[in-house]
Amino acid sequence: MEDDCRPLLGYEPTGESYSHRGSTGSLDIRTKRPFHVEPRNIVRDDPQERISAEAAILNSRVHYYSRLTGSSDTVLSPPNHVIPTAEEIYIYSPLGTAFKVPDCDPASKNPSIVTIFAIWNTMMGTSILSIPWGIKQAGFTLGIIILIFTGLLMLYCCYIVIKSPKAIKGVDTSNWEFPDVCRFYFGKSGQWSSLVFSMVSLIGAMVVYWVLMSNFLYNTGQFIYIICPYPKTNPGRNDTMSTLCLGTMGNDTSENSFEHYWSKNRTIPLYLIILLLPLLCFRSASFFARFTFFGTISVIYLIVLVTIKAARLGFHLEFHWFEPSQFYVPDFRLLFPQLTGVLTLAFFIHNCIITLMKSNKNQEHNVRDLSLAYLLVGGTYMYVGVLIFAAFPSPPLSKDCIEPNFLDNFSSSDVMVFVARVCLLFQMVTVYPLLGYLVRVQIMGQLFGNHYPSFIHILVLNIFIVGTGVLMAMFYPNIGSIIRFSGAICGLALVFFLPALVHMVSLKQQGNLTWQSAVFHTFLIVLGIANLLAQFFM
């Protein structure tokens, strides 16, 4: 009788891995112990309605297996065809009545428009600040071509990732992510490689965040200091657009006490430790998830800011195809791999796209919605990058003065830019603990089987992450280079190599691999390798 009182959805530890059960999710129905209720007591929403004879037989079979199977014995676990499906699960009351669980899945699904903007919001990160710089490095014309071409390649590789679980037959892949697919084809080495490179992208993003937060906090303090009724630090300083090219803008220019204690590279990165290290040690990141909507607000404000600045400054363009001039860069430059590295991270969503697309209500429209999302993302990058590059005042300044963070080309006293920096600073302060939480969950879960093994474990990991960000912000605060290297590294594995290899292995197992497909997907792998190697020669 004790066995009969165990709930249908109660967890029974079996010691058997999910991969052997045919699913990786925690809701694997075969890991749930059957619950016996007499057929006459199983009803639907109407208490008077009895279930069909077929359902009664199914219930009897479940009862039979529940009596055969011990509390820790898995040999006689009910086979798949005996376990009720999700649509046949009931909620049992102490009175012996079982009400059918309504299918709430459609209610949790999102329409296509929500899915498209969710992908857009997820992809819109710090890379947008470096797109104008990347276009400058590649040249205006070549930069536009590369942006379109890279976006299409990233879209195709993302499409491969989405359909990769569905290509596996005979296994329940409904809860699988891409690392599970890699493990299916390549064993633990495939899963670990995808995990490691996913960590590279996350930690790289956290380093960029630390550099940018140091930048934004410094300029925020500068703005407040400038508007205070005290003499200017440097009376000869010109805060008009003629200062756009000052490579030392934001650095110390005098030895007064304010700039001694408020230095972008010496003190601000250390001040952030006081705020962010305790936040990283929170056991749960649910509080910070409430502020993710600030990302959308910040991006929209950036678009408005770029539009207003471009309208005020006008367009300053001249086309010099291969030779530079005094104020303009060539339209085709050999530094273009720097843009491809930035774009690889800017279009990167491959490690979470399967999860995002699962919530799409119309699964048959996944390819269309993904394509529209990439079109929206690419259009946003194109809009910001082209407008900033075209509106940059040349002459009197050279286009080569565009900074890796285009906000650095504006004075600290610019009110609109100050608002943008404050919004981005608040957004990053709330998103940074979320990124740290994702790193912690994946690393600690793989190493110790527990997302929070102990406070000491978490503290050591967080000190490593924070220390990396502090060192980069103090000694190499070039977000353009950080983004392009992290993008090229994680892009090699998670964008080009693993998706292309998984696709070819899947086609070969099905007997559908053609030489044209093999050549094309091998070419994708070669592109990823070339993209990474080229970063070291720029």
Side-chain angles (χ1 to χ4, degrees), residues 235-537:
R237 179 177 175 179
N238 182 6
D239 285 334
T240 65
M241 286 299 294
S242 62
T243 63
L244 286 172
C245 194
L246 285 178
T248 59
M249 180 179 293
N251 293 328
D252 296 344
T253 57
S254 70
E255 295 299 323
N256 63 46
S257 59
F258 174 77
E259 295 191 357
H260 177 74
Y261 293 105
W262 197 256
S263 169
K264 182 168 65 175
N265 301 125
R266 292 202 303 264
T267 60
I268 299 298
L270 299 175
Y271 295 159
L272 286 172
I273 299 177
I274 302 173
L275 171 64
L276 293 173
L277 185 57
L279 297 182
L280 282 178
C281 295
F282 279 23
R283 182 179 292 269
S284 173
S286 58
F287 172 76
F288 304 103
R290 302 173 184 176
F291 300 96
T292 53
F293 69 92
F294 270 98
T296 304
I297 297 175
S298 300
V299 172
I300 293 175
Y301 182 80
L302 273 180
I303 294 174
V304 174
L305 171 66
V306 168
T307 304
I308 294 175
K309 293 296 184 182
R312 290 178 178 176
L313 295 173
F315 287 174
H316 305 267
L317 288 174
E318 281 187 13
F319 295 95
H320 301 268
W321 300 113
F322 301 104
E323 296 296 330
S325 65
Q326 181 180 1
F327 300 108
Y328 298 93
V329 296
D331 282 75
F332 294 84
R333 304 182 73 184
L334 294 179
L335 297 175
F336 69 87
Q338 296 186 354
L339 176 59
T340 61
V342 170
L343 290 176
T344 305
L345 192 63
F347 284 111
F348 181 71
I349 198 174
H350 301 62
N351 59 345
C352 62
I353 188 61
I354 294 178
T355 300
L356 288 173
M357 298 310 294
K358 281 179 184 177
S359 63
N360 195 13
K361 181 181 296 183
N362 301 310
Q363 292 291 307
E364 66 276 9
H365 295 157
N366 277 354
V367 176
R368 181 202 67 183
D369 296 342
L370 179 66
S371 302
L372 290 175
Y374 261 85
L375 179 63
L376 185 61
V377 171
T380 305
Y381 289 151
M382 183 78 73
Y383 184 84
V384 172
V386 168
L387 279 189
I388 290 294
F389 183 90
F392 194 84
S394 301
L397 303 176
S398 171
K399 296 287 188 184
D400 226 5
C401 293
I402 297 177
E403 295 287 331
N405 171 11
F406 75 83
L407 292 180
D408 284 345
N409 286 115
F410 297 95
S411 168
S412 297
S413 60
D414 190 308
V415 177
M416 290 191 66
V417 177
F418 164 75
V419 173
R421 286 171 175 146
V422 170
C423 290
L424 289 170
L425 176 62
F426 182 79
Q427 176 210 352
M428 291 179 182
V429 167
T430 56
V431 172
Y432 189 85
L434 286 176
L435 296 176
Y437 178 78
L438 293 177
V439 173
R440 179 211 311 172
V441 165
Q442 296 190 45
I443 291 181
M444 296 300 175
Q446 290 291 331
L447 295 179
F448 303 102
N450 188 341
H451 299 166
Y452 203 98
S454 72
F455 177 77
I456 299 299
H457 287 82
I458 303 304
L459 182 61
V460 171
L461 174 63
N462 292 337
I463 289 176
F464 168 76
I465 295 174
V466 168
T468 304
V470 170
L471 291 176
M472 295 299 289
M474 294 179 69
F475 300 106
Y476 192 72
N478 188 328
I479 67 165
S481 294
I482 299 173
I483 289 175
R484 66 185 176 91
F485 272 103
S486 59
I489 292 172
C490 72
L492 169 61
L494 298 179
V495 175
F496 298 108
F497 184 80
L498 287 175
L501 197 59
V502 163
H503 187 65
M504 286 191 288
V505 172
S506 175
L507 291 179
K508 185 177 181 180
Q509 291 181 354
Q510 300 171 19
N512 297 327
L513 180 63
T514 62
W515 70 266
Q516 295 94 335
S517 178
V519 168
F520 175 73
H521 292 91
T522 303
F523 173 69
L524 290 181
I525 296 175
V526 172
L527 279 181
I529 297 174
N531 184 37
L532 175 58
L533 293 179
Q535 306 305 320
F536 294 95
F537 299 96

Side-chain angles (χ1 to χ4, degrees), residues 94-108:
L95 301 177
T97 306
F99 292 92
K100 186 164 185 166
V101 178
D103 186 10
C104 59
D105 192 47
S108 62

Side-chain angles (χ1 to χ4, degrees), residues 14 21 30 65 69 73-79:
T14 63
R21 283 300 206 176
R30 295 193 63 193
Y65 277 99
T69 306
D73 184 16
T74 62
V75 177
L76 297 175
S77 296

